[in-house]
Structures are given as structure tokens and as C-alpha cells.
Amino acid sequence: MTGPILSARGVCAGYGDFQALFSVDFNVAPGEVVALIGANGAGKSTFLKTLAGLLPLRSGTVEFDGRSIAGIPTYRLVGHGLAMVPEGRRLFDGMSVEDNLRVALDRARSVPEDTPEWTLDRLYALFPILKEKRGHLVQSLSGGQQQMAAIGRALMSQPRVLLCDEISLGLAPKVIREIYDLLPEIRQSGTALVLVEQDVSLAQKAADRLYCMLEGQITLTGRSSDISREEIAAAYFGVHRAVG
Ligand SMILES: Nc1ncnc2c1ncn2[C@@H]1O[C@H](COP(=O)(O)OP(=O)(O)O)[C@@H](O)[C@H]1O
Ligand SMILES: [Mg+2]
């Protein structure tokens, strides 16, 4: 059993006077898939942004590969292998699919010359539609294709941890399935996946472990296969059941 590649302890963060996260503990191991679920406004995106160095820690610690990320700018974290597929994708409009993918190479984690995990060829094998559309402007792609491009761009940075914020949002069920079916191949090389997901059953199927967040706090965590629907519902909505 290897230790976590990314871990958070007692993380508090927020915006101005507003505290959005309250003492969040979290970890993910290499090659593990962990899902973070919770209602709209629970703090999931805020937590991912904090992990990625986009939002400062107010207290607590985040360690990536055994080192504190505090004060390290996001682009340098990307260079160390901590990548994010942000909410809303944020592709570079006005650039082709392939140029969007190539941009990530500039900031990629340096790996020995001839062994990058993710090359354009491997990415195009994973997402054949991106190869077909490689010369097209990203904004001309469908939502699902744009999401694939956003995931592809993040993979080109050779991540050891990939943070994904609601990659299924607004996509047709068939496209969601297509994307989720590819996650095993992404983790297979040892990349840890953190999936923020509003679709609980999708999260439970895809992830080894789940964290449920409610109003900025983790209300439930455990192995996906060990957690019941009732426990999730209680943690998700804050329903307190009588014990005994
Ligand atoms: N940029 C911001 N400025 C102020 N408050 C914010 C900002 N972003 C999010 N919030 C607030 O922080 C809380 C958590 O939001 P968020 O992390 O986006 O939740 P989730 O991703 O789980 O839907 C919400 O109450 C939201 O209104
Ligand atoms: Mg969000």
C-alpha cells in the first residue's frame, strides 16, 4: 500500500468574509480514483481550487508528493504533475484542438526525454474524434468533444494527479458513458483521479472511494462499495437519522 500522492488536512478556505471550507481532510493514492460528491454550493469546486493552488489556504495543510503546496503558484504545481480540468472547461477559443493540446506541453511535468506517458498519438488513440477534429477551432466542437479536449489538454501536462470538476455536466448520457469508460486507461499509468461529480451513482460506479461534502464539510467518506444509498442520502442532504 503506497502513501497518498495528494493529501489535505484541516483545510479551511473561503472568499472574503465567507468561509467555504471547514477543516477538510482528504487524500488520494497513486492510481486511485476518488469521487467528491455533494449538492450545488457544497464547496466542491472551492476545494479543488484550493488543492490546485488557485485559492489560498486559510488554515490546514495540503501536501502533494510529500511537499506542502502552500505558496507554490498553480503553474508550478502543474509542472510537478498536479493538473485540473476546470469547471466549464476553459479551453482557448480561437485556437485549434491540437494547439490547445500542445499548449499544455510547454508547462508539462518534465519526464525523461523519450518516455512521456501522454503523447498526441496516445491521446488521439484515446479520443479518436479529437484526431479527426484536430485542425478545427475548439469552439466549433460539441460540448462532449470540448470536454474531451479539456481532459486531453490536462493529460498532456503528464499529470500524476488529475482533478476533474464536473466533467459530465450538461453532456448527453451516451457521451458521459464514453468519457467515464476511458477513466480506467487514464488511471492505469498511475495517475490519481479526483472526480467532482453531482451524479451520485456515476460517482459510486467510477470511484474506489467517495467523499461527500455538505456546507463545506466532509460528511461521509469510505469505499464506494461499502457505502449505502441511505448513508449517501443522509450525508448529501444533511438528514440526521436516529440511531438504534
Ligand atoms: N468566487 C466566489 N466568491 C464568493 N463566493 C463564492 C465564490 N465561488 C463560490 N462561492 C461560494 O462558495 C460556496 C461553495 O461554492 P462551490 O465551491 O462553487 O460549490 P460546488 O462546487 O460544490 O457547487 C457557495 O456558497 C458559493 O456561493
Ligand atoms: Mg462546482
Side-chain angles (χ1 to χ4, degrees):
M1 178 82 194
T2 46
I5 175 81
L6 181 68
S7 66
R9 193 168 296 179
V11 164
C12 298
Y15 309 91
D17 290 339
F18 177 71
Q19 186 171 349
L21 299 177
F22 298 85
S23 200
V24 174
D25 292 336
F26 176 94
N27 65 76
V28 62
E32 193 179 28
V33 180
V34 165
L36 176 59
I37 58 174
N40 213 355
K44 305 179 300 296
S45 296
T46 301
F47 184 58
L48 285 199
K49 284 189 262 178
T50 308
L51 292 176
L54 292 164
L55 201 65
L57 284 167
R58 291 196 175 165
S59 59
T61 55
V62 175
E63 286 190 355
F64 173 56
D65 198 20
R67 280 195 297 174
S68 167
I69 67 150
I72 303 180
T74 301
Y75 77 90
R76 283 198 43 217
L77 292 173
V78 173
H80 286 117
L82 182 58
M84 175 145 94
V85 181
E87 202 172 4
R89 310 188 269 267
R90 309 246 183 84
L91 290 162
F92 303 113
D93 284 357
M95 279 169 61
S96 70
V97 170
E98 188 156 304
D99 285 344
N100 264 272
L101 300 174
R102 284 188 188 282
V103 159
L105 279 173
D106 300 339
R107 291 270 167 89
R109 175 166 67 95
S110 42
V111 289
E113 198 69 37
D114 49 351
T115 60
E117 198 71 57
W118 293 98
T119 58
L120 275 177
D121 281 349
R122 180 160 177 221
L123 208 66
Y124 287 152
L126 191 69
F127 298 113
I129 189 70
L130 295 185
K131 183 172 188 182
E132 209 175 290
K133 303 261 177 176
R134 65 185 183 276
H136 295 227
L137 293 178
V138 277
Q139 67 266 36
S140 72
L141 269 56
S142 72
Q145 293 162 0
Q146 288 188 22
Q147 193 58 277
M148 291 172 193
I151 296 168
R153 185 179 59 181
L155 288 175
M156 288 303 271
S157 72
Q158 316 297 325
R160 303 168 74 191
V161 175
L162 185 57
L163 309 171
C164 298
D165 200 351
E166 302 214 28
I167 47 178
S168 69
L169 194 69
L171 302 183
K174 180 171 168 285
V175 179
I176 296 172
R177 218 170 310 123
E178 260 177 64
I179 291 177
Y180 267 75
D181 282 350
L182 299 174
L183 300 183
E185 174 160 357
I186 295 174
R187 77 184 301 182
Q188 171 204 299
S189 47
T191 301
L193 291 171
V194 179
L195 307 173
V196 163
E197 181 53 68
Q198 280 215 37
D199 182 332
V200 174
S201 48
L202 190 61
Q204 202 167 9
K205 256 181 263 163
D208 303 309
R209 283 189 301 122
L210 289 179
Y211 287 85
C212 186
M213 186 175 269
L214 174 70
E215 293 172 1
Q217 291 180 288
I218 300 293
T219 47
L220 178 70
T221 180
R223 298 202 66 77
S224 304
S225 51
D226 295 343
I227 300 179
S228 69
R229 301 288 298 183
E230 292 72 26
E231 285 174 300
I232 291 177
Y236 197 99
F237 298 110
V239 182
H240 299 288
R241 292 173 307 160
V243 178

